[in-house]
Every structure is written in structure tokens, then in C-alpha cells.
Amino acid sequence: QVQLVESGGGLVQAGGSLRLSCKVSGSIFTINAMGWYRQAAENQRELVAVTTNDGSINYGDSVKGRFTISRDNAKTTVYLQMNSLKPEDAAVYYCNVDPVRGMGLPGRYWGQGTQVTVST
């Protein structure tokens, strides 16, 4: 069993910052892709950012230049630093990982999600 525990969501004013964390534990011995997706009400889940073991990173177009993804391999934790937040960034953010798969498709394991709310 694999557990992904997200933290760091909350309410922030437009222009503010938040940092999300996702700790991975359980029966997973290697992790390749680690990333974040988000889903706002009535919208499809979309890629925010993903990084792989070789250091490759991909961002969704709407967050480029504002969000930064990083990972701590020793602690199997992935972070998402979100700066200059906009109301349209409000969504439930999901951590996503896969032991083998790289970019292009979501990984096998999902977190429960953490709510990010951006006020005007």
C-alpha cells in the first residue's frame, strides 16, 4: 500500500504564496515521476507540474514562471512553491507519483488532495 499525504493548502490573498508538500510512504521502493495536478469545480484535472528522477521538469502553461516544483529524494517528498497566486489558481491540488512512468501521463498513485483558495 502506498500513501501520499499532502499538506500546505489553505486560503491566501491574490498575489500571495503557498507551499504544498507531499510525503510518500509505504510499499514503493523507487519513485520516478512526482508531480501535482489540480482540479477546480466543473473543470478537468490538469497538470500543474511534474518532475522525474533525472531532474526533468514540466509545468502547465498557466503556472510557468510562478510555480516551482522540487523534490527531496531522500525523504520521498515533493514540494510545490506557488507564488503570485491568482484567483484562477484556486482548486484542489493532488499529489501524483509513479515508480516507473515519466512525464506525459499521470502516475499510478494519487493523494487525497489539498484545497487552495485564493481571495481577491
Side-chain angles (χ1 to χ4, degrees):
Q1 198 172 10
V2 178
Q3 295 85 38
L4 283 66
V5 179
E6 299 128 331
S7 62
L11 172 64
V12 63
Q13 285 191 329
S17 298
L18 282 174
R19 189 189 195 211
L20 305 183
S21 300
C22 173
K23 169 68 175 175
V24 183
S25 62
S27 301
I28 184 167
F29 302 103
T30 63
I31 302 175
N32 189 14
M34 302 184 82
W36 295 90
Y37 288 73
R38 69 186 182 187
Q39 186 168 17
E42 300 179 356
N43 290 350
Q44 290 187 337
R45 194 170 294 190
E46 64 174 356
L47 171 70
V48 178
V50 60
T51 180
T52 54
N53 234 351
D54 66 359
S56 300
I57 293 175
N58 189 33
Y59 292 100
D61 288 341
S62 61
V63 306
K64 287 179 181 177
R66 300 186 297 120
F67 291 11
T68 303
I69 189 171
S70 60
R71 64 191 285 175
D72 183 334
N73 284 327
K75 297 181 179 179
T76 61
T77 301
V78 62
Y79 306 95
L80 184 69
Q81 178 66 42
M82 304 186 294
N83 298 328
S84 302
L85 282 159
K86 304 175 181 180
E88 51 263 42
D89 293 318
V92 178
Y93 284 69
Y94 295 92
C95 181
N96 177 256
V97 303
D98 197 279
V100 176
R101 188 176 297 164
M103 300 183 184
L105 289 173
R108 179 177 180 180
Y109 301 105
W110 292 93
Q112 292 299 308
T114 185
Q115 178 72 50
V116 171
T117 304
V118 183
S119 64
T120 56

